[in-house]
Amino acid sequence: MTIDRKSESLSDSEQQGYTETVVEYVDNRRSRMALAVVLLLLVLLLAAVAWVVAGLVEPVGAPEKAALPDGITWVRSLYAWGSTADQAMVAPVDVAIAPDGTIWVVTNKRWVVGFNPDGRVSRVITRDLGQEAGKFVSLEGLAVDENGDIYVCDFGKNAVMVISPEGEIIREWGVQLPMEIDVRNGRVAVAAAYGIGVFDTEGNLINKWSQRGTGDDDVDLPHGVAIADDGTVYVSDTQNNRVKAYSQEGKLLWIRAVADRADLTATSATQTVDGVSQSMQLPAGMTIDGAGRLLVVDPFEFQILVLDPTRKGQVVARYGEYGSQDGSFGYPTGISYDAARDLLAVADTANNRVQLIRLSGTGGNAVSRTFAAATDRPLWLCGIPLALLVAAIVLRVARRRRQQADAAVPGA
């Protein structure tokens, strides 16, 4: 049998090429090992940074869940817009959340302060004291429209003022002793000391009803108003200790009061319906949550009352208790709901702060709650590069395996 020696041996050039290929393979393997070590170190470093940031952004003195009143999830409390004593909140009376999540607060009678959802200050608005156009006297309620413009009641000036998010005065019009305001779908409802007025956004009067008194058609210093999607206007008839609903034409639909009624069952302590106390001492600021319920703060009950409009304002739940610790209230007067983040802001007046909280049943879905949790604290900033790094590793491994599989196929 004849053997071709060329098939058994390699030429010098072929041997050289073969040797170079082996070296290249060894070097690539070492490079991949070094890269894997570097990537692992980067992952560990990012995890450590996330842990440090978690400690930095966690609010100081955050309460334990077990210490919070039943049903309340505390997010954070806002106390000031600066580091000096004159930049601390004093008796904030109302709060409104803009479509972009900015939390606007009326505090110190002449300040409108905007906070980002994470607690950082975004804008501070104030004006000189005076009755002239563009000046402030004594601010009360506020609301924000779909464009982000701010509507403020100046009780001492007898005016409603519209302010841009940048702090510029857009317009103002006269209203006698305005106390609270809401705006929706081009309609502005103003609860004034002597009645209810509905305007367009230019300040033109559309409708008005009620006068000061104690009758069913009367109001007495109403300190809460909210417009529903269907146009219904809800009013906290504060000094008359009741909540009322009106059609958009001003027709009285129902009254919820503590007075003896056929649909209330008296107990030795208070009146209840379905086991929930209907007590209502001084209903003030109100808002509508994502489930269509009416949320009303009662400063003398130190609670948030949840009213069901489909049951003529029956109180179906109550949250809160008196105290200065986070999650408790001291004479709260204002409240606003952010549907995108399923978040409530409460003007905790006597505690000189605004609290951001969540309640059960407010209508927020799983998506909004997940988004809210991600934006409550900026930990997700660390999560982004970490996720990208992990994705890069996965893609690199997958690509390498494909290359190995292709190399194992003859003729590839």
Side-chain angles (χ1 to χ4, degrees), residues 393-403:
I393 295 174
V394 171
L395 290 174
R396 175 58 182 169
V397 171
R399 181 181 178 185
R400 179 59 185 171
R401 288 181 176 177
R402 283 197 304 269
Q403 290 175 341

Side-chain angles (χ1 to χ4, degrees), residues 108-338:
N108 305 53
K109 291 298 183 181
R110 287 172 48 209
W111 295 82
V112 179
V113 184
F115 295 88
N116 293 322
D118 61 9
R120 292 177 295 116
V121 178
S122 63
R123 179 76 61 177
V124 179
I125 303 171
T126 190
R127 288 290 184 273
D128 293 336
L129 177 66
Q131 292 287 341
E132 297 83 0
K135 294 184 178 181
F136 293 165
V137 176
S138 180
L139 305 182
E140 286 287 337
L142 86 162
V144 182
D145 69 10
E146 294 86 349
N147 299 319
D149 291 334
I150 308 156
Y151 292 68
V152 184
C153 293
D154 194 326
F155 184 84
K157 190 178 177 180
N158 295 318
V160 167
M161 308 182 73
V162 184
I163 307 171
S164 73
E166 293 74 33
E168 300 299 322
I169 304 297
I170 298 174
R171 72 183 62 90
E172 59 182 272
W173 67 86
V175 177
Q176 188 70 19
L177 300 178
M179 304 192 70
E180 189 54 274
I181 192 168
D182 194 25
V183 54
R184 181 174 297 209
N185 298 328
R187 299 169 68 233
V188 183
V190 180
Y194 298 104
I196 309 300
V198 178
F199 304 81
D200 64 22
T201 54
E202 298 295 322
N204 300 306
L205 182 65
I206 298 174
N207 198 3
K208 64 177 181 179
W209 61 83
S210 296
Q211 57 282 322
R212 191 171 187 180
T214 59
D216 285 353
D217 292 328
D218 301 331
V219 294
D220 190 5
L221 301 179
H223 211 289
V225 66
I227 306 174
D229 283 334
D230 63 0
T232 302
V233 178
Y234 300 105
V235 176
S236 288
D237 191 2
T238 306
Q239 294 298 325
N240 284 324
N241 316 110
R242 61 193 183 187
V243 173
K244 306 165 74 174
Y246 296 91
S247 70
Q248 55 185 325
E249 293 80 21
K251 178 183 177 181
L252 181 62
L253 302 177
W254 50 257
I255 299 175
R256 174 58 57 173
V258 183
D260 291 335
R261 298 166 61 91
D263 57 350
L264 296 180
T265 301
T267 67
S268 59
T270 186
Q271 296 168 316
T272 65
V273 174
D274 298 335
V276 180
S277 170
Q278 302 297 299
S279 177
M280 190 183 303
Q281 295 192 58
L282 204 70
M286 57 171 53
T287 191
I288 300 172
D289 69 12
R293 307 180 305 174
L294 191 61
L295 275 56
V296 182
V297 288
D298 190 321
F300 281 14
E301 293 282 337
F302 310 104
Q303 287 185 325
I304 300 171
L305 312 183
V306 182
L307 280 62
D308 185 351
T310 66
R311 302 182 188 179
K312 297 183 177 181
Q314 176 183 321
V315 182
V316 296
R318 315 171 68 94
Y319 299 95
E321 61 186 25
Y322 172 75
S324 59
Q325 66 272 25
D326 290 315
S328 299
F329 304 119
Y331 303 100
T333 55
I335 187 170
S336 184
Y337 177 69
D338 181 355

Side-chain angles (χ1 to χ4, degrees), residues 95-117:
V95 60
I97 304 179
D100 66 356
T102 302
I103 302 154
W104 292 102
V105 183
V106 166
T107 184
N108 305 53
K109 291 298 183 181
R110 287 172 48 209
W111 295 82
V112 179
V113 184
F115 295 88
N116 293 322

Side-chain angles (χ1 to χ4, degrees), residues 47-62 377-379 382:
V49 170
W51 182 80
V52 172
V53 172
L56 292 175
V57 302
E58 184 69 21
V60 176
R377 296 174 177 86
L379 290 179
C382 292

Side-chain angles (χ1 to χ4, degrees), residues 47-86:
V49 170
W51 182 80
V52 172
V53 172
L56 292 175
V57 302
E58 184 69 21
V60 176
E64 298 291 336
K65 290 184 177 180
L68 291 169
D70 291 341
I72 291 180
T73 299
W74 179 83
V75 177
R76 61 172 44 84
S77 293
L78 310 174
Y79 286 91
W81 63 91
S83 58
T84 61
D86 60 350

